[in-house]
Amino acid sequence: MTTAIDIRSVVKTFGEFTALHGVSLDIADNAFFTLLGPSGCGKTTLLRLIAGFEAVTAGEIRLFGEDIARLEPNRRPVNTVFQHYALFPHMSVIDNVAFGLKMQGLDLSGRRARAGKMLEMVHLSAFADRLPSQLSGGQQQRVALARALAPAPKVLLLDEPLSALDLKLRQAMRVELKQLQEDTGITFIFVTHDQEEALTMSDRIAVMSAGQVQQIGTAQEIYEAPSNRFVADFIGETNLLEVDVHQVHEGRATLTLPGGHRLSCPSALVAPGRHSLSIRPERVTISDSAELSAADLSATVERVVYLGSDLQVLTRLADDTAFTIRLQNAARTEVPSPGAQIGLHLEEGAARLLAD
């Protein structure tokens, strides 16, 4: 598999502040790669280094094997789509899309033919002669995408481009973005703080925190097998329990859950001791108080929250730890009442021991 972007030991400082601490990762060609993390984690700084809008303090950035760390932005075969569309208000939609092609020296007929093809790709051919002010927010975002794709960059950088859209439009644009990436074969590098965006669109995800990469993997790997407490807590919803690990042998650990029940689960840990255990709310089933002795955990129901497709059951364990369960909103689902004593049963593979 060809590597599009190779980042090695990249450091970026702003005066006394270090935004990136020796970041290393590689991004495959023709992939949808997402940089995911909270505000201030360094993801946008890394994107700006790839684009050339900021200079690398130390380290290497290679594009298809060529060192571009000190190459001017206009000489890099990459394009950027920003959170704010930055369309030219006085230009028609087709002229906005063709603008970058004019800068490349393409003649008028060539520009219009290429721009027309891009508008067809984003389903806006009928809006070619309109001004940006005559379009909805979602349509303007598609124009910005078409303009960025028109010069056929090797890599497209997307800096939180969906954050200004409403929920339903964001959901629709996720599908369109992924389809565009697959249709064009261009490497997309997408920056977001939205876990759902990352999980639904990405071939691979790099989770970042405090200027460092915490984990790189597919959406399923990141969600099902988080490498540490930060990743488990940041990606989706999880229950974090402090447990005593008694033994680690041949990739499995024996531990004691709050309440005294013993459990064996897969583990990459090498030493016993006090560790964090991650349990996703949807990987738990419940039973009534008559079966407490057979349950992995026992809890008291505090509140049931209606979420439409799901029900969120907020409980508290015997040691006063909060614990959340997700139940499907279906006719067959038995919903416990606040104050009820219930047993919690962990699905096979539901528990994940974490590095600190």
Side-chain angles (χ1 to χ4, degrees):
M1 183 179 293
T2 304
T3 299
I5 299 284
D6 188 16
I7 297 169
R8 286 290 167 262
S9 304
V10 165
V11 174
K12 177 59 182 177
T13 60
F14 296 95
E16 298 295 317
F17 174 69
T18 301
L20 296 173
H21 300 265
V23 169
S24 294
L25 56 86
D26 60 85
I27 300 170
D29 187 24
N30 190 19
F32 197 118
F33 190 95
T34 296
L35 300 173
L36 172 67
S39 297
C41 72
K43 58 188 186 296
T44 295
T45 297
L46 185 56
L47 197 79
R48 290 176 63 82
L49 293 179
I50 296 170
F53 301 144
E54 301 285 352
V56 171
T57 304
E60 271 189 355
I61 299 178
R62 293 185 173 274
L63 176 65
F64 293 95
E66 179 186 359
D67 188 354
I68 62 167
R70 289 166 180 81
L71 200 64
E72 294 87 349
N74 63 324
R75 295 180 58 197
R76 302 185 186 200
V78 303
N79 237 338
T80 306
V81 178
F82 298 100
Q83 179 178 342
H84 303 291
Y85 320 130
L87 301 177
F88 298 111
H90 60 287
M91 290 185 181
S92 67
V93 164
I94 196 165
D95 287 339
N96 263 281
V97 176
F99 182 79
L101 301 173
K102 183 178 181 180
M103 296 299 98
Q104 288 184 334
L106 198 63
D107 62 40
L108 179 60
S109 62
R111 294 198 303 269
R112 293 191 71 83
R114 176 68 178 170
K117 184 178 179 181
M118 291 299 100
L119 287 176
E120 184 178 347
M121 183 177 289
V122 297
H123 312 295
L124 286 176
S125 297
F127 299 84
D129 296 325
R130 294 193 185 183
L131 294 174
S133 60
Q134 298 172 305
L135 304 180
S136 69
Q139 290 167 337
Q140 289 183 45
Q141 183 58 277
R142 285 193 231 164
V143 174
L145 278 167
R147 182 177 63 184
L149 290 168
K154 291 184 177 180
V155 175
L156 185 66
L157 310 176
L158 302 107
D159 189 7
E160 304 205 45
L162 308 183
S163 61
L165 305 180
D166 62 52
L167 177 61
K168 283 193 174 293
L169 195 49
R170 283 204 311 272
Q171 291 172 337
M173 284 298 297
R174 291 171 194 165
V175 177
E176 291 195 24
L177 272 178
K178 182 57 180 170
Q179 190 62 54
L180 272 173
Q181 189 274 315
E182 292 175 352
D183 290 345
T184 60
I186 294 172
T187 302
F188 279 27
I189 304 178
F190 186 86
V191 162
T192 185
H193 62 271
D194 188 310
Q195 300 97 321
E196 189 174 322
E197 282 183 2
L199 293 173
T200 54
M201 293 190 294
S202 311
D203 297 314
R204 291 174 77 220
I205 301 167
V207 183
M208 297 185 66
S209 173
Q212 297 178 314
V213 174
Q214 301 294 318
Q215 185 173 356
I216 300 174
T218 64
Q220 186 172 0
E221 289 167 348
I222 295 286
Y223 186 84
E224 300 289 350
S227 62
N228 58 38
R229 188 182 179 98
F230 173 83
V231 176
D233 196 30
F234 186 75
I235 302 295
E237 186 179 18
T238 196
N239 296 291
L240 294 171
L241 306 181
E242 294 302 312
V243 297
D244 292 313
V245 177
H246 305 294
Q247 183 182 30
V248 181
H249 181 65
E250 294 182 350
R252 294 194 70 84
T254 303
L255 57 92
T256 300
L257 292 168
H261 190 87
R262 285 215 166 193
L263 180 73
S264 175
C265 67
S267 174
L269 298 174
V270 295
R274 192 78 167 166
H275 295 284
S276 296
L277 186 73
S278 172
I279 303 169
R280 297 292 185 187
E282 70 275 11
R283 303 292 299 277
V284 180
T285 57
I286 64 176
S287 60
D288 60 31
S289 57
E291 302 177 38
L292 286 181
S293 60
D296 295 309
L297 295 161
S298 60
T300 303
V301 177
E302 294 190 329
R303 185 183 296 272
V304 178
V305 182
Y306 179 79
L307 298 173
S309 60
D310 293 341
L311 299 170
Q312 186 184 54
V313 182
L314 307 179
T315 74
R316 195 159 296 274
L317 305 182
D319 68 350
D320 205 40
T321 301
F323 195 97
T324 301
I325 306 148
R326 285 256 184 174
L327 302 177
Q328 185 180 12
N329 184 14
R332 65 180 182 276
T333 301
E334 295 185 14
V335 184
S337 301
Q341 297 291 313
I342 59 173
L344 309 182
H345 302 268
L346 309 184
E347 293 181 3
E348 180 66 30
R352 176 78 182 181
L353 275 168
L354 305 171
D356 295 330

